[in-house]
Amino acid sequence: MPASAPTTPAPGVAPVPTPRHVSATDLRLVPGALVAWGVAWWLTAAGSRTALVGAAAAAGLLALMGMLLLVRRARPPRGLGQCVLVTACALAVLLGGTADLVARERGGAADLAGQGATVEVVGRVVKEPVVVVNPWSGASDSVRTALDLTTVEGRGVVAPGGGQIGVLGDLAWGEADYGAEVRASGRLLPAGPGDRTVATLVASGPPVVTAPPSRALGVVGVLRADLLTASDGLPADARALLPGVAVGDTSRIDDELDAALRTTGLTHVTAVSGGHFAIVVATVTALCALARAPRGVRIGVTGAVMAGFVLLVHPDPSVLRAAAMGVVGLVGIGLGRPSRAVPALAAVVVVLLVLDPWLARSYGFVLSSVATAALVLGTQPVARRLAPWIGKGLAFALAVPLTAQLACAPVLVLLDPSIATYAVPANLVAAPALVPATVLGVLATLVAPWFPLGGVVLAWPAGLASWWIAAVARFFTGLPGARVPWPGGALGATALALLTLAALALVWRWRRVAGLLGVRVPWSRGSGWPHTWRTAVRAGVREALAARRRRATLRLVAAWAVVAVGAVGCVVIAWPRWIAPAGRDVPADWAVAACDVGQGDGLVVRTGDGRGLMIDVGPAGDAAGRCLDDLGIERLDLLVLTHFHADHVGGLGAVLDGRQVGRALVTGLGDPAEQAEWVLDDLADRGVPVEVAEPGAGGTLGDVSWEVLQAGSTPGPDASGDGRPRLAEADGGANDASIALRVVTPWLTLVALGDLEAGGQETLDRTLRARAGDPSVDVVKVAHHGSRVQSARLAATLSPAVAIVSSGENTYGHPTQEALDLYAGVGAAVLRTDRCGTFALVVRDGALAVAGCDDG
């Protein structure tokens, strides 16, 4: 019978089904989405005229390609259709973004911000108020939010707003309801290139509500407030986390819990993400299926619930993005059809960028896109590969966090130069609690306003699930090596991406790698654990070895032993470095160390074995104390607190704990008064002698000498008789009251400028020029974390070889490019703690070098 002839099954025998053709993943829209993202990134930092030129060029190119398609309709050039699609996506983003840019430029906010004008604005609150810590006073006395401007009035002109502005105001702004229209006054400051907001308003007073939120948003406000009330009686972590899991309200989460969530890759549980929408959609879909609702009813109910959930967690761009990504990811995984999910995801990306091109600069947008793509493409293959080894259920549960973490890790490195070692197991252990926490939390939110007791009853199991998530985060954060240091920036992200791809290729093709190593694998692909290994579990290792060919077994055992010994050796060598803070990389012959204390100052000069001179102790926390521990400092011969702002004195307790301090030197201006009071109290309680700095004062500490070049006003001797110095009172001016200190070691000369502003720096420059001798130094600790207020004349006078900028994550733009360029322009190598972490300066063979920093 010919091979092509059809076969007829024998009676009673079922025909063999023809294998269904599995379509390849449709990637045609992916290049368009990537180009749209790149165009949106460029567009948001460009002007409207430049954007119009780009749109015209794209339109012209699209017209030319369209004409070419018409002319060669029968046999179009290969790839021309794809080029048309990509160009159309770029043009759509250009047109949408250009319209936004024109509206922003026609509004009056941008021009008035450029003039630093004092204005009165009217706008609608479009962001939940967030309380921020004042880095100078250490108090939580400021609030950040955002307004969608209606009008702005300043310099005698009333103009339309032209976009959103950020607001920094007092605590009264925390009472502003989301969606309310308010009037406020203050000074407008310009926004940076690419910022979503047109400007930032530094409010001079509380907002005046001119119109309440819409009825729907008013109801949402009541629901969210009643959830907080219903969860008041929960344990601390549950009380803090439940509102975040349920509706994205993170107002109760403290810094310690937030850090634990970041370290374990669990921040997505409080940032309303695609996972929240996937849980809601899955729950509603399951209930509709249980009720046997018709298809049309299911779609309508699911759509209505999704819209309501968007409203509940507030319909800002990030939530709309998460909703779209969550729906795409859920549909792709549920249907097992990545061939359809990927183009749907690409289409969602393009549409979102057309509507809001500023999403291109959002890390949340990138992470959502990457995670969703990884889930729809990688979950099923990874689960299939793991299933023979650990079972289908556990394989799928592990595949979801594994694929998401592997895909997102290179992006996360750009935010924090480290790798969350336990992110996958932490997500796996916390995952079972996320569904009940979300579902019961949302139900408690809906029930609490009309049945408070019912809301409390629902909040307790939801709170228990939330407590479990917090406990998981804290547990894994406390393990050794919870965060592995990794190079930051584009280079670090690229290296991690390449390493991840190489590891995946190795795991995916491990049989081929084993063959290249001469190891015969005695079981077939996809079979999971060998049958004889299973036999070993049941009947003992001796029976399993007897069932194998001894020669093959020995080769396999030997090969795995070599691999195991090599892996253990790598871990033994690398583990101490992985778990060690950056300071432990400081060599024994260090001369000056810049401690990474975050957004603050902490500088140490070595005065002897286990001894040092410290200038400022950073913000609240133990960063400065840990740095001294890593440096081996057991005694501080001199502790200099340049001024009393919290980012310079907040870490005092950790520095004093377990260490001897010879004496402390403080500025004569007690501003802010509360900060100065508790600093002096703490020093007095520890028995540390305190002196007020005076210009010209100095001393010698072994081979190191120090001198006060400039300091705040000195009010005179103590009048209370308790031995404490008496400080001058003032409301402001603390920065220019900073102690400017000159330190001379056998190897180098250093000047630390505290937070001196323009006036203080100019005064210091005149003082240095009037002194005899060369005023230049080897090292300068740049004033005020590299703010834009820098004296070019002082930089030229000091002419340092190294300029140290101590800064961390902040919203003030520190360090500014102007400051970096200024010191680079006088020949200094600029070293930054926000990029280097803790680093040290050493002098070897007469040359000054840096240790522990590859990124200046």
Side-chain angles (χ1 to χ4, degrees):
M1 184 172 58
S4 60
T7 59
T8 303
V13 178
V16 177
T18 303
R20 186 179 65 177
H21 175 67
V22 179
S23 60
T25 303
D26 187 352
L27 302 176
R28 288 174 296 178
L29 197 54
V30 172
L34 294 175
V35 170
W37 178 82
V39 169
W41 177 280
W42 165 81
L43 178 73
T44 52
S48 59
R49 293 184 179 180
T50 305
L52 281 171
V53 172
L61 181 60
L62 186 62
L64 287 175
M65 289 189 291
M67 293 174 60
L68 184 59
L69 277 176
L70 290 175
V71 171
R72 302 187 59 179
R73 184 167 29 185
R75 298 184 62 184
R78 187 175 182 180
L80 184 59
Q82 182 67 51
C83 292
V84 170
L85 181 60
V86 169
T87 307
C89 292
L91 179 59
V93 173
L94 283 166
L95 292 176
T98 300
D100 287 343
L101 288 173
V102 170
R104 285 162 66 100
E105 292 180 3
R106 286 184 176 177
D111 289 339
L112 290 170
Q115 304 171 37
T118 298
V119 299
E120 181 176 88
V121 301
V122 176
R124 195 166 292 276
V125 179
V126 293
K127 186 177 180 181
E128 280 291 333
V130 177
V131 178
V132 295
V133 176
N134 189 318
W136 294 281
S137 67
S140 299
D141 56 4
S142 302
V143 170
R144 285 193 177 275
T145 185
L147 299 180
D148 191 1
L149 282 184
T150 304
T151 60
V152 57
E153 180 179 356
R155 303 288 172 93
V157 176
V158 179
Q164 291 184 9
I165 62 168
V167 177
L168 179 63
D170 57 27
L171 292 177
W173 281 87
E175 303 299 322
D177 293 328
Y178 184 95
E181 185 181 77
V182 299
R183 176 184 290 109
S185 300
R187 185 184 177 194
L188 271 186
L189 301 178
D195 284 357
R196 179 189 298 274
T197 56
V198 182
T200 297
L201 177 72
V202 180
S204 57
V208 177
V209 178
T210 57
S214 64
R215 181 172 299 179
L217 288 179
V219 171
V220 166
V222 172
L223 292 172
R224 292 168 66 99
D226 285 349
L227 174 63
L228 296 178
T229 302
S231 59
D232 273 340
L234 298 176
D237 279 351
R239 178 178 179 273
L241 201 56
L242 175 57
V245 175
V247 296
D249 184 349
T250 60
S251 59
R252 288 177 170 177
I253 297 179
D254 58 32
D255 292 340
E256 185 179 353
L257 180 57
D258 181 64
L261 294 172
R262 291 179 181 274
T263 301
T264 52
L266 287 170
T267 52
H268 62 86
V269 303
T270 58
V272 178
S273 63
H276 289 75
F277 289 91
I279 290 172
V280 172
V281 171
T283 303
V284 173
T285 302
L287 291 175
C288 289
L290 188 63
R292 297 185 178 182
R295 181 182 179 87
V297 173
R298 296 184 189 186
I299 295 175
V301 170
T302 304
V305 171
M306 286 287 290
F309 189 63
V310 167
L311 196 63
L312 179 63
V313 297
H314 292 157
D316 58 32
S318 63
V319 171
L320 297 176
R321 176 206 70 224
M325 298 298 184
V327 170
V328 170
L330 183 68
V331 172
I333 293 176
L335 297 179
R337 298 297 299 274
S339 59
R340 294 183 180 179
V342 172
L345 173 62
V348 166
V349 169
V350 174
V351 170
L352 289 174
L353 289 173
V354 171
L355 297 175
D356 185 5
W358 277 268
L359 284 175
R361 291 179 175 267
S362 166
Y363 279 106
F365 175 76
V366 178
L367 289 170
S368 289
S369 304
V370 171
T372 307
L375 290 176
V376 299
L377 289 175
T379 300
Q380 296 291 348
V382 172
R384 284 196 300 268
R385 182 56 64 98
L386 294 174
W389 304 90
I390 59 177
K392 292 183 179 180
L394 184 57
F396 186 82
L398 181 59
V400 172
L402 180 60
T403 53
Q405 183 63 25
L406 290 176
C408 293
V411 181
L412 293 172
V413 163
L414 297 173
L415 290 169
D416 181 11
S418 64
I419 299 174
T421 312
Y422 305 118
V424 172
N427 275 272
L428 184 63
V429 176
L434 184 57
V435 173
T438 302
V439 174
L440 294 176
V442 172
L443 289 176
T445 306
L446 299 176
V447 169
W450 59 274
F451 185 23
L453 180 59
V456 173
V457 170
L458 288 168
W460 269 95
L464 180 61
S466 300
W467 172 87
W468 173 254
I469 296 172
V472 169
R474 293 186 184 278
F475 171 77
F476 282 100
T477 299
L479 294 179
R483 297 174 65 185
V484 177
W486 191 266
L491 183 61
T494 303
L496 183 57
L498 293 176
L499 182 62
T500 302
L501 291 175
L504 288 175
L506 181 63
V507 171
W508 223 256
R509 300 294 182 184
W510 65 273
R511 290 175 56 84
R512 181 173 298 178
V513 174
L516 293 175
L517 295 175
V519 178
R520 188 179 70 85
V521 181
W523 61 87
S524 62
R525 179 179 180 181
S527 62
W529 299 104
H531 175 71
T532 50
W533 286 21
R534 299 172 187 170
T535 304
V537 175
R538 299 188 186 100
V541 176
R542 183 175 298 175
E543 181 182 345
L545 292 176
R548 287 179 175 274
R549 290 174 56 190
R550 183 169 299 279
R551 183 176 177 184
T553 301
L554 291 176
R555 287 183 63 187
L556 184 62
V557 171
W560 280 113
V562 171
V563 172
V565 170
V568 171
C570 291
V571 171
V572 169
I573 293 172
W575 188 259
R577 179 178 178 85
W578 286 350
I579 65 174
R584 294 185 183 173
D585 290 334
V586 173
D589 59 343
W590 63 277
V592 175
C595 295
D596 180 13
V597 295
Q599 180 62 15
D601 274 6
L603 197 68
V604 186
V605 179
R606 187 165 176 257
T607 59
D609 188 17
R611 298 164 53 191
L613 178 159
M614 189 168 197
I615 305 171
D616 289 329
V617 294
D622 62 352
R626 285 188 287 106
C627 180
L628 291 178
D629 291 340
D630 297 335
L631 294 172
I633 299 296
E634 299 175 352
R635 174 183 170 83
L636 289 175
D637 295 321
L638 179 65
L639 174 61
V640 180
L641 302 176
T642 60
H643 59 298
F644 292 107
H645 280 161
D647 54 336
H648 293 254
V649 300
L652 180 62
V655 167
L656 297 179
D657 287 343
R659 245 174 298 275
Q660 296 179 344
V661 179
R663 58 174 163 166
L665 196 67
V666 300
T667 181
L669 185 68
D671 182 59
E674 297 82 1
Q675 290 285 120
E677 186 70 18
W678 77 255
V679 166
L680 295 180
D681 286 345
D682 200 2
L683 291 171
D685 292 342
R686 311 279 188 130
V688 178
V690 181
E691 300 176 8
V692 174
E694 298 182 10
T700 302
L701 307 170
D703 294 334
V704 175
S705 63
W706 58 274
E707 178 190 2
V708 176
L709 299 176
Q710 188 168 297
S713 59
T714 305
D718 175 42
S720 63
D722 60 1
R724 289 177 43 176
R726 179 168 169 261
L727 303 180
E729 297 181 0
D731 185 13
N735 283 347
D736 267 341
S738 294
I739 298 173
L741 195 72
R742 179 185 179 93
V743 181
V744 180
T745 78
W747 311 281
L748 55 81
T749 303
L750 173 146
V751 166
L753 300 177
D755 274 3
L756 291 177
E757 301 285 357
Q761 292 181 53
E762 291 293 337
T763 300
L764 178 60
D765 179 63
R766 290 191 294 270
T767 300
L768 292 175
R769 289 178 181 271
R771 290 163 58 107
D774 184 6
S776 63
V777 297
D778 299 299
V779 183
V780 165
K781 199 293 297 181
V782 177
H784 205 180
H785 321 293
S787 72
R788 63 182 180 85
V789 181
Q790 301 291 334
S791 167
R793 284 187 290 188
L794 179 60
T797 298
L798 295 173
S799 187
V802 173
I804 296 175
V805 179
S806 184
S807 65
E809 182 178 352
N810 65 90
T811 58
Y812 307 101
H814 299 163
T816 62
Q817 195 60 46
E818 294 90 338
L820 301 177
D821 291 343
L822 172 63
Y823 278 92
V826 298
V830 181
L831 305 176
R832 304 165 48 176
T833 57
D834 62 334
R835 290 189 175 180
C836 300
T838 296
F839 62 89
L841 300 179
V842 297
V843 179
R844 294 174 181 170
D845 298 328
L848 183 62
V850 61
C853 178
D854 296 324
D855 188 359

